[in-house]
Short mmCIF file of all heavy atoms in Angstrom, two decimals:
data_model
loop_
_atom_site.label_atom_id
_atom_site.label_comp_id
_atom_site.label_asym_id
_atom_site.label_seq_id
_atom_site.Cartn_x
_atom_site.Cartn_y
_atom_site.Cartn_z
N VAL A 111 39.29 -95.25 102.64
CA VAL A 111 40.69 -95.55 102.34
C VAL A 111 40.80 -96.05 100.90
O VAL A 111 41.65 -95.59 100.12
CB VAL A 111 41.25 -96.62 103.31
CG1 VAL A 111 42.63 -97.10 102.85
CG2 VAL A 111 41.34 -96.06 104.73
N ALA A 112 39.91 -96.98 100.55
CA ALA A 112 39.92 -97.53 99.19
C ALA A 112 39.59 -96.45 98.15
O ALA A 112 40.22 -96.39 97.09
CB ALA A 112 38.92 -98.68 99.09
N LYS A 113 38.64 -95.58 98.49
CA LYS A 113 38.26 -94.52 97.56
C LYS A 113 39.41 -93.56 97.31
O LYS A 113 39.59 -93.07 96.17
CB LYS A 113 37.04 -93.76 98.10
CG LYS A 113 36.51 -92.69 97.15
CD LYS A 113 35.30 -91.98 97.74
CE LYS A 113 34.85 -90.85 96.82
NZ LYS A 113 33.68 -90.13 97.38
N ILE A 114 40.18 -93.27 98.34
CA ILE A 114 41.32 -92.36 98.20
C ILE A 114 42.31 -92.90 97.16
O ILE A 114 42.91 -92.14 96.40
CB ILE A 114 42.01 -92.15 99.57
CG1 ILE A 114 41.13 -91.28 100.47
CG2 ILE A 114 43.40 -91.52 99.41
CD1 ILE A 114 41.58 -91.21 101.91
N TYR A 115 42.43 -94.22 97.09
CA TYR A 115 43.32 -94.85 96.10
C TYR A 115 42.64 -95.01 94.75
O TYR A 115 43.26 -94.84 93.70
CB TYR A 115 43.79 -96.22 96.61
CG TYR A 115 44.90 -96.14 97.62
CD1 TYR A 115 44.64 -96.00 98.97
CD2 TYR A 115 46.24 -96.21 97.22
CE1 TYR A 115 45.66 -95.93 99.91
CE2 TYR A 115 47.27 -96.14 98.15
CZ TYR A 115 46.97 -96.00 99.49
OH TYR A 115 48.00 -95.92 100.41
N LEU A 116 41.35 -95.38 94.78
CA LEU A 116 40.64 -95.71 93.53
C LEU A 116 40.35 -94.49 92.67
O LEU A 116 40.53 -94.53 91.44
CB LEU A 116 39.34 -96.45 93.86
CG LEU A 116 38.43 -96.81 92.69
CD1 LEU A 116 39.14 -97.77 91.73
CD2 LEU A 116 37.12 -97.43 93.17
N ASN A 117 39.89 -93.42 93.30
CA ASN A 117 39.42 -92.27 92.53
C ASN A 117 40.45 -91.72 91.55
O ASN A 117 40.14 -91.48 90.38
CB ASN A 117 38.93 -91.17 93.48
CG ASN A 117 37.74 -90.41 92.93
OD1 ASN A 117 36.79 -91.01 92.43
ND2 ASN A 117 37.80 -89.10 92.97
N PRO A 118 41.70 -91.50 91.96
CA PRO A 118 42.69 -90.98 91.01
C PRO A 118 43.01 -91.93 89.85
O PRO A 118 43.51 -91.50 88.82
CB PRO A 118 43.94 -90.75 91.88
CG PRO A 118 43.46 -90.74 93.28
CD PRO A 118 42.27 -91.64 93.31
N LEU A 119 42.71 -93.22 90.05
CA LEU A 119 43.00 -94.21 89.00
C LEU A 119 41.94 -94.23 87.90
O LEU A 119 42.22 -94.60 86.77
CB LEU A 119 43.10 -95.61 89.62
CG LEU A 119 44.24 -95.83 90.63
CD1 LEU A 119 44.15 -97.24 91.22
CD2 LEU A 119 45.60 -95.62 89.98
N VAL A 120 40.70 -93.83 88.26
CA VAL A 120 39.61 -93.94 87.29
C VAL A 120 39.02 -92.60 86.85
O VAL A 120 38.64 -92.44 85.68
CB VAL A 120 38.47 -94.85 87.84
CG1 VAL A 120 38.99 -96.27 88.05
CG2 VAL A 120 37.88 -94.29 89.13
N ASP A 121 38.94 -91.64 87.76
CA ASP A 121 38.26 -90.39 87.42
C ASP A 121 38.86 -89.67 86.21
O ASP A 121 38.09 -89.11 85.41
CB ASP A 121 38.24 -89.44 88.63
CG ASP A 121 37.29 -88.27 88.42
OD1 ASP A 121 36.08 -88.44 88.68
OD2 ASP A 121 37.76 -87.20 88.00
N PRO A 122 40.18 -89.64 86.03
CA PRO A 122 40.73 -88.96 84.86
C PRO A 122 40.24 -89.53 83.52
O PRO A 122 40.30 -88.85 82.50
CB PRO A 122 42.24 -89.14 85.01
CG PRO A 122 42.45 -89.32 86.47
CD PRO A 122 41.26 -90.09 86.94
N TYR A 123 39.76 -90.77 83.54
CA TYR A 123 39.28 -91.41 82.31
C TYR A 123 37.80 -91.14 82.05
O TYR A 123 37.31 -91.39 80.96
CB TYR A 123 39.51 -92.92 82.37
CG TYR A 123 40.97 -93.30 82.36
CD1 TYR A 123 41.67 -93.49 83.55
CD2 TYR A 123 41.67 -93.46 81.16
CE1 TYR A 123 43.01 -93.83 83.55
CE2 TYR A 123 43.02 -93.78 81.15
CZ TYR A 123 43.68 -93.97 82.35
OH TYR A 123 45.02 -94.30 82.34
N PHE A 124 37.09 -90.64 83.07
CA PHE A 124 35.65 -90.47 82.91
C PHE A 124 35.33 -89.37 81.91
O PHE A 124 36.10 -88.44 81.71
CB PHE A 124 35.01 -90.13 84.26
CG PHE A 124 34.97 -91.29 85.23
CD1 PHE A 124 34.71 -91.08 86.58
CD2 PHE A 124 35.18 -92.58 84.81
CE1 PHE A 124 34.66 -92.13 87.47
CE2 PHE A 124 35.15 -93.66 85.69
CZ PHE A 124 34.89 -93.42 87.03
N HIS A 125 34.15 -89.48 81.31
CA HIS A 125 33.71 -88.55 80.27
C HIS A 125 33.46 -87.17 80.86
O HIS A 125 32.99 -87.04 82.00
CB HIS A 125 32.43 -89.09 79.62
CG HIS A 125 32.08 -88.46 78.33
ND1 HIS A 125 31.43 -87.24 78.26
CD2 HIS A 125 32.27 -88.86 77.04
CE1 HIS A 125 31.24 -86.92 76.99
NE2 HIS A 125 31.74 -87.89 76.23
N LYS A 126 33.73 -86.12 80.10
CA LYS A 126 33.53 -84.75 80.58
C LYS A 126 32.07 -84.47 80.89
O LYS A 126 31.75 -83.57 81.68
CB LYS A 126 34.04 -83.75 79.55
CG LYS A 126 33.31 -83.74 78.21
CD LYS A 126 33.90 -82.74 77.24
CE LYS A 126 33.20 -82.78 75.88
NZ LYS A 126 31.79 -82.38 75.95
N ASP A 127 31.14 -85.21 80.28
CA ASP A 127 29.72 -84.99 80.52
C ASP A 127 29.12 -86.01 81.49
O ASP A 127 27.91 -86.22 81.53
CB ASP A 127 28.94 -84.97 79.21
CG ASP A 127 29.07 -83.63 78.50
OD1 ASP A 127 29.02 -82.59 79.18
OD2 ASP A 127 29.26 -83.62 77.26
#
Side-chain angles (χ1 to χ4, degrees):
V111 171
K113 184 180 176 181
I114 288 170
Y115 281 87
L116 177 62
N117 215 46
L119 297 176
V120 297
D121 193 83
Y123 293 93
F124 289 165
H125 196 279
K126 64 181 178 64
D127 280 319

